[in-house]
Amino acid sequence: MRSDDDSWDITTSVGSTALFVAASRALEAKKPDPLAVDPYAEIFCRAAGGDWADLVDGGAPEHVLRTEFGEQFVNFQGARTRYFDDYFTRVMTAGVRQIVLLAAGLDSRAYRLPWPGGTTVFEIDQPRVLEFKREVLAAAGAPPTAPRREVAVDLRDDWPAALVGAGFDPVRPSAWIAEGLLIYLPATAQESLFDAIDALAAVGSWLGVEEATPMPAEAFAAKRDEERAAGAEQSFFTLVYNEQHAPADVWFGARGWSADVTPLADHLERLGRPVALADPQSEAMIRAESLVTAVKK
């Protein structure tokens, strides 16, 4: 279960979900028609070893990513990655040169996107997560494509001060991403995060957010009990908070941002990967997801 002061590395608690996403991106990249290709996702899985390495080699038949839900989750990660890659392409075209990856995890965009000159990428996450990424990609001989500044701080601490201390300039426009983050924060922490982004973002700043409408309480509890009964050491439903402070488009829209919402299911449909799951609760989880972009006017 989560606690107010819990911490993690790349293989434990919330940190392990970054490997889950990396494995999904690696599997997506192996398809003949991938929605997105992250060449570093497989490298992270091999560095982690165990089932993560077996998975990208075609093994680990009992892994959840080999199930029907796992197949749909890989589609979801491919579509989500494509959406936010396109978002950053628009950010670059708009001339924004400060990029902030909130809870950066194993996001490799600082290494694989063609950032224009003058761009700085700030990555905020737990120290051991950032250390794992840095060391793995250095060993692979992969340099970042823009200056990359690690901000090793917990988002529950004073991360705005740490970000400014790392060289972030609140006077200049910036572009933010909260991908796969909000579900790991209680509603009060989501509100604090939104407040801090709005306070640090100058006019002309951009924001990309993935969010989910909370599940009915009984359905959420049933999913949590189901995972516990299966004997999972780290259950997804014990790591997440089934809470939402406010829809991002509504909250930021009330503060001068122009926001656009794309339901994940619609995005998957347009990309030729429609949602189709035998388990109604699993399908409902994916249909509850939305992808949001906003610009501060």
Side-chain angles (χ1 to χ4, degrees), residues 210-231:
E210 176 204 357
E211 62 183 2
T213 302
M215 297 173 63
E218 290 185 2
F220 181 80
K223 278 291 187 182
R224 178 176 285 180
D225 291 343
E226 179 183 317
E227 285 192 344
R228 286 173 174 163

Side-chain angles (χ1 to χ4, degrees), residues 78-234:
R80 188 177 81 175
T81 302
R82 169 88 158 262
Y83 177 91
F84 287 119
D85 283 358
D86 290 346
Y87 157 76
F88 279 122
T89 296
R90 289 185 286 144
V91 163
M92 295 179 212
T93 300
V96 178
R97 298 294 181 260
Q98 292 190 112
I99 311 300
V100 184
L101 310 182
L102 296 162
L106 297 181
D107 185 325
S108 67
R109 291 185 176 97
Y111 294 82
R112 65 180 179 80
L113 293 187
W115 300 108
T119 300
T120 301
V121 180
F122 298 89
E123 297 197 12
I124 303 176
D125 212 321
Q126 297 271 359
R128 287 179 291 174
V129 173
L130 294 173
E131 179 182 25
F132 175 85
K133 175 159 57 177
R134 177 184 357 102
E135 292 182 350
V136 168
L137 293 184
T145 53
R148 173 178 171 267
R149 298 185 184 176
E150 295 184 3
V151 185
V153 62
D154 194 303
L155 286 172
R156 294 165 295 190
D157 296 331
D158 190 3
W159 64 265
L163 178 62
V164 173
F168 178 85
D169 184 358
V171 175
R172 296 170 50 216
S174 48
W176 305 71
I177 183 170
E179 180 183 21
L181 167 60
L182 296 187
I183 59 173
Y184 298 103
L185 300 176
T188 53
Q190 293 176 30
E191 181 178 16
S192 296
L193 184 78
F194 285 4
D195 279 333
I197 293 171
D198 187 45
L200 289 167
V203 171
S205 293
W206 289 59
L207 173 66
V209 177
E210 176 204 357
E211 62 183 2
T213 302
M215 297 173 63
E218 290 185 2
F220 181 80
K223 278 291 187 182
R224 178 176 285 180
D225 291 343
E226 179 183 317
E227 285 192 344
R228 286 173 174 163
E233 290 185 10
Q234 293 180 6

Side-chain angles (χ1 to χ4, degrees), residues 10 13-23 25 104-107 125 129 184:
I10 202 62
S13 188
V14 176
S16 65
T17 66
L19 279 170
F20 201 84
V21 171
R25 287 175 171 158
L106 297 181
D107 185 325
D125 212 321
V129 173
Y184 298 103

